[in-house]
Amino acid sequence: MPIPEDVTGDEIDKDVRQELQSLPKGLAEDVAKNLVMVARLIDEDPEGAYGYSKVALRLASRVAAVREAAGFAAYASQKYSEALAEFRAARRMTGNVELWPVMADCERGLGRPEKALDMAGAPEVHKLDKAGQVEMRLVAAGARRDMGQLDAAIVTLQSPELASNSVQPWTARLRYAYADALLAAGREDEAREWFAKAVESDKDGSTDASDRLAELDGVEFVDAFAEEEDEADGEAAEKVVDEVEDEDTEDTEDGEGVAEGDLKD
């Protein structure tokens, strides 16, 4: 797959670069460039990221960082079975538990929420850092919802991290998930409160909490750009109609003249 000229491979994380040092220099550079493309595309073009991850995997399948990147690209493309296999491979290579929550979410994606819940109660969870534990809680709550256990999902999300006034990278997503679960359970007033709290903590717009809150408040957003396009389309359509009518009028007048001449003859 083509690599843009502005990609050098130096953009990758230093830890990944260190892993790639086990490869010959030229090969390491090629792998690094493909990993950069995975990171660049994974949010906007998951399938494109997946394609680059397959190239990196073909070049260096024994590098844990490559297996992990391939896992995330497959996960973003909803290829959960493949993602789970790559995550397991990366974990075997490193012994780390950081991927445990996303592995559990792959089980959800494969329609096995019970397996995800088993993983949420496994000893590995206690080895996760705070961010990983919150992520695991989100996955467990999602699994409960998959099983139709809304009340249990709500209870699962109730935690010190949810109640804390301190805003952390996970705060907005945690509050959003809690608000969404409350809304699904028919607790609209509480849901509105927590969507508002999610908006307060969502500094980088990682959720659509503001839209959900506006929806609950009955606010409708008007897309001014779309309206301008509609007006322009309407004007263009009117112009076409006018031109057609003018042509019809000319044709009618010409036709009448011929008819009159025929009668005279």
Side-chain angles (χ1 to χ4, degrees):
M1 296 182 69
I3 304 290
E5 292 183 1
D6 65 316
V7 174
T8 66
D10 294 333
E11 301 90 340
I12 61 173
D13 183 88
K14 64 179 181 180
D15 292 335
V16 177
R17 190 180 300 113
Q18 186 173 355
E19 279 194 62
L20 296 180
Q21 288 179 355
S22 62
L23 303 173
K25 184 177 180 181
L27 179 59
E29 290 178 355
D30 289 341
V31 173
K33 289 178 181 180
N34 279 281
L35 292 181
V36 170
M37 292 306 298
V38 172
R40 179 178 289 189
L41 297 176
I42 196 164
D43 291 329
E44 301 298 329
D45 181 12
E47 287 296 333
Y50 176 75
Y52 283 102
S53 76
K54 297 299 285 186
V55 175
L57 196 59
R58 187 171 67 248
L59 295 173
S61 62
R62 295 186 179 182
V63 176
V66 172
R67 303 302 290 264
E68 184 175 329
F72 277 110
Y75 177 79
S77 301
Q78 299 184 358
K79 297 176 175 64
Y80 298 116
S81 180
E82 189 173 338
L84 186 57
E86 296 300 341
F87 289 143
R88 284 172 173 167
R91 184 168 179 267
R92 283 195 300 271
M93 292 175 177
T94 64
N96 294 335
V97 297
E98 296 173 359
L99 296 172
W100 197 253
V102 71
M103 289 169 63
D105 206 37
C106 285
E107 295 288 1
R108 283 187 61 213
L110 291 169
R112 301 194 291 251
E114 297 88 351
K115 177 61 177 176
L117 286 176
D118 288 343
M119 293 180 69
E124 284 82 355
V125 176
H126 300 294
K127 301 176 184 179
L128 294 169
D129 60 14
K130 182 62 69 176
Q133 290 179 5
V134 170
E135 195 64 35
M136 193 71 249
R137 190 177 292 276
L138 288 167
V139 173
R144 291 292 185 187
R145 291 190 63 171
D146 293 343
M147 298 167 67
Q149 301 173 1
L150 281 175
D151 290 339
I154 290 170
V155 171
T156 299
L157 292 169
Q158 292 171 345
S159 62
E161 294 81 16
L162 179 67
S164 175
N165 291 324
S166 174
V167 175
Q168 302 295 333
W170 62 77
T171 302
R173 291 179 58 239
L174 184 59
R175 291 176 176 178
Y176 182 93
Y178 189 59
D180 193 49
L182 288 168
L183 187 61
R187 296 160 61 174
E188 187 171 313
D189 290 341
E190 293 173 85
R192 189 203 175 285
E193 176 187 350
W194 282 97
F195 275 127
K197 290 182 178 181
V199 171
E200 292 175 0
S201 56
D202 194 0
K203 305 302 182 183
D204 58 357
S206 61
T207 73
D208 65 345
S210 59
D211 292 340
R212 299 292 300 277
L213 181 61
E215 184 180 336
L216 285 173
D217 289 341
V219 177
E220 293 185 7
F221 292 100
V222 177
D223 190 334
F225 182 73
E227 279 195 342
E228 289 176 2
E229 285 189 333
D230 291 341
E231 289 177 2
D233 291 342
E235 290 174 359
E238 289 178 3
K239 184 177 180 181
V240 170
V241 171
D242 291 341
E243 290 175 353
V244 171
E245 289 178 346
D246 291 342
E247 290 176 359
D248 289 344
T249 300
E250 291 175 2
D251 291 342
T252 301
E253 291 175 351
D254 292 342
E256 289 175 352
V258 172
E260 289 175 1
D262 290 341
L263 288 171
K264 288 178 180 179
D265 292 337

